[in-house]
């Protein structure tokens, strides 16, 4: 795959840390699929970043299975390996190679400011490894290895993208113009809270719905989901702007029926619509939309050999670009002589 002139290139990554959930789906995957299906899609690479997942302790031997499961989920959500490149990070060793070079370019001070590192170091006090600290350096390598211009991410990744731009600038200044400065393609989905009302959806907290969840489970979880905390009684007026269930209606009801979302908003404020019914309706929409994904996911998971074949095809496409970039980089940094002088 050669970079056709003027065409933008997208790169994004997703960690194989277990069953993808609503947060991953709305914050990333659904956008990737929309971009792929747009009238003039960009050239896009999506990577299952297993070496990033290694920064958090998990059961040995689980990463391969998680990667295959995630591949199945991404296909089930509509990613089409014929139109985009889908591959596993560890299948393309140039990621870690460029990661090392960038670790000789990036500044300690910049890494010390990363809020995600501070959060994760707090959560994993017994395993604050160097990889957790250098995580954004590897992420910069992921992106710049493909000279990507656009990176679809949520706002929690903006700081990491700044580092990628800084790596590009520092490298270019020191070794000559090589990398573009990638820009974030910010997700239009508003920040989602956990169903329990906590700051973030996460599988480990059990406050979200996974893509493989059965309809009864989805309904049960929605039933107890936290809404507007100020709305104690059925007749209290609601405040949709602070209600996570309303935000989710925007994601699941909005695209097909924006008028219904407007009506829900008005009826919540006037207390004509109660939380119980509002949540039931949301559960219906989620079940409706996740049902087919769940079925396709199960079908793909039953075909591990085909999943491996698809990842291998993706590897070949990604490796071609990665090899060319690294040949250029080795000459730029001077560990190899330029081809014409050999
Ligand atoms: N850090 C990203 C996340 O946690 C995952 C990621 C790794 C990524 N490499 C990337 C995202 C490169 C965009 C581009 O969501």
């Amino acid at each position: 795959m050669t970079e056709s002139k003027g065409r933008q290139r997208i790169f994004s990554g997703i960690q194989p840390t277990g069953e993808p959930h609503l947060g991953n789906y709305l914050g990333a995957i659904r956008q990737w699929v929309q971009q792929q299906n747009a009238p003039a899609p960009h050239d896009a690479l999506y990577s299952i970043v297993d070496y990033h997942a290694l920064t958090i302790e998990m059961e040995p031997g689980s990463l391969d299975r998680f990667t295959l499961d995630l591949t199945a989920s991404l296909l089930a959500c509509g990613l089409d390996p014929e139109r985009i490149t889908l591959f596993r990070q560890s299948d393309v060793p140039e990621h870690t190679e460029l990661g090392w070079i960038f670790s000789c370019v990036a500044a300690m001070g910049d890494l010390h400011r990363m809020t995600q590192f501070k959060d994760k170091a707090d959560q994993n006090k017994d395993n604050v490894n160097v990889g957790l600290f250098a995580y954004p350096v590897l992420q910069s390598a992921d992106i710049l290895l493909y000279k990507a211009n656009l990176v679809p991410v949520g706002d929690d990744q903006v700081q990491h993208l700044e580092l990628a731009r800084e790596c590009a600038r520092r490298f270019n200044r020191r070794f000559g113009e090589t990398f573009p400065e990638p820009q974030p393609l910010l997700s239009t989905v508003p920040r989602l809270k956990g169903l329990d009302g906590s700051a973030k959806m996460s599988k480990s907290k059990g406050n979200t719905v996974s893509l493989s969840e059965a309809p009864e489970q989805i309904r049960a979880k929605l039933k107890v989901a936290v809404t507007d905390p100020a709305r104690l009684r059925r007749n209290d007026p609601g405040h949709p702007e602070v209600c996570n269930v309303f935000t989710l209606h925007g994601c699941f009801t909005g695209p097909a029926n924006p008028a219904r979302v407007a009506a829900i908003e008005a009826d919540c404020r006037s207390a004509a619509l109660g939380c119980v019914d509002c949540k039931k309706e949301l559960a219906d929409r989620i079940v409706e939309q996740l049902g087919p994904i769940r079925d396709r996911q199960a079908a793909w998971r039953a075909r591990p050999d085909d999943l491996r074949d698809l990842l291998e095809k993706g590897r070949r496409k990604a490796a071609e670009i990665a090899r060319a970039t690294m040949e250029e980089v080795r000459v730029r940094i001077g560990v190899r002589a330029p081809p014409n002088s050999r």
Side-chain angles (χ1 to χ4, degrees):
M1 198 197 319
T2 51
E3 200 180 351
S4 48
K5 252 219 151 71
R7 199 172 173 210
Q8 304 262 57
R9 177 173 283 157
I10 285 186
F11 182 96
S12 197
I14 184 168
Q15 293 195 56
T17 41
E19 205 67 58
H21 55 71
L22 281 190
N24 310 121
Y25 176 64
L26 297 171
I29 305 172
R30 197 166 77 168
Q31 242 122 327
W32 299 357
V33 174
Q34 280 164 356
Q35 163 57 224
Q36 162 196 283
N37 297 339
H42 300 310
D43 173 21
L45 296 108
Y46 296 111
S47 184
I48 298 175
V49 290
D50 49 354
Y51 279 156
H52 276 106
L54 204 58
T55 57
I56 300 294
E57 195 115 11
M58 63 173 83
E59 209 183 301
S62 52
L63 275 175
D64 180 60
R65 183 169 43 84
F66 282 169
T67 296
L68 287 193
D69 283 354
L70 183 53
T71 305
S73 307
L74 294 173
L75 296 169
C77 290
L79 273 191
D80 174 2
E82 297 287 325
R83 285 185 278 171
I84 52 99
T85 300
L86 176 65
F87 71 103
R88 160 168 34 198
Q89 184 187 36
S90 66
D91 277 339
V92 181
E94 284 88 349
H95 285 252
T96 45
E97 189 177 0
L98 187 59
W100 172 255
I101 293 164
F102 283 166
S103 69
C104 302
V105 167
M108 285 289 279
D110 286 342
L111 288 173
H112 271 299
R113 278 195 289 279
M114 296 291 156
T115 56
Q116 187 169 306
F117 169 70
K118 290 182 209 167
D119 292 347
K120 289 199 178 174
D122 272 349
Q123 290 160 21
N124 302 278
K125 286 209 171 64
D126 50 349
N127 184 20
V128 184
N129 56 75
V130 174
L132 198 61
F133 185 69
Y135 180 113
V137 175
L138 181 58
Q139 182 166 349
S140 301
D142 293 340
I143 299 164
L144 294 175
L145 187 54
Y146 303 96
K147 301 191 177 181
N149 325 81
L150 294 171
V151 185
V153 282
D155 56 2
D156 64 323
Q157 294 297 313
V158 166
Q159 211 185 15
H160 289 173
L161 261 200
E162 261 162 41
L163 186 85
R165 282 199 296 280
E166 187 60 16
C167 281
R169 281 193 290 269
R170 282 170 171 259
F171 186 99
N172 292 347
R173 215 181 300 132
R174 185 161 152 196
F175 301 112
E177 196 61 31
T178 309
F179 295 110
E181 289 182 29
Q183 301 300 324
L185 201 60
L186 278 181
S187 146
T188 50
V189 171
R191 239 175 206 277
L192 295 165
K193 285 183 272 192
L195 296 179
D196 58 356
S198 69
K200 209 178 164 178
M201 281 191 177
S202 81
K203 170 145 168 82
S204 58
K205 289 197 207 144
N207 64 4
T208 181
V209 167
S210 86
L211 295 187
S212 61
E213 214 129 11
E216 319 78 72
Q217 283 171 298
I218 297 180
R219 291 183 204 284
K221 282 189 169 174
L222 263 295
K223 215 176 196 164
V224 297
V226 171
T227 57
D228 169 9
R231 201 174 178 192
L232 299 175
R233 283 171 297 266
R234 168 66 182 79
N235 291 333
D236 291 343
H239 306 87
E241 67 279 4
V242 300
C243 179
N244 200 38
V245 168
F246 180 71
T247 308
L248 285 166
H249 263 297
C251 300
F252 282 99
T253 308
N257 194 354
R260 180 60 197 143
V261 176
I264 292 172
E265 179 166 13
D267 292 350
C268 170
R269 284 191 204 288
S270 69
L273 177 66
C275 292
V276 173
D277 290 330
C278 184
K279 292 198 279 188
K280 248 187 219 152
E281 184 177 336
L282 175 61
D284 286 342
R285 296 292 87 75
I286 296 180
V287 166
E288 233 164 66
Q289 288 167 56
L290 294 193
I293 293 178
R294 180 172 177 246
D295 295 345
R296 286 195 295 266
Q297 184 172 259
W300 273 114
R301 284 187 185 177
R303 299 163 55 191
D305 293 343
D306 293 334
L307 293 173
R308 287 188 196 284
D309 282 350
L310 285 175
L311 286 177
E312 170 55 20
K313 285 201 187 107
R315 183 198 66 79
R316 271 185 242 138
K317 288 200 278 176
E320 201 183 308
I321 308 171
R323 192 189 331 108
T325 304
M326 279 315 298
E327 277 171 12
E328 182 186 356
V329 165
R330 286 188 209 101
V331 172
R332 289 271 189 212
I333 63 176
V335 296
R336 292 292 181 280
N340 52 10
S341 71
R342 270 173 218 162

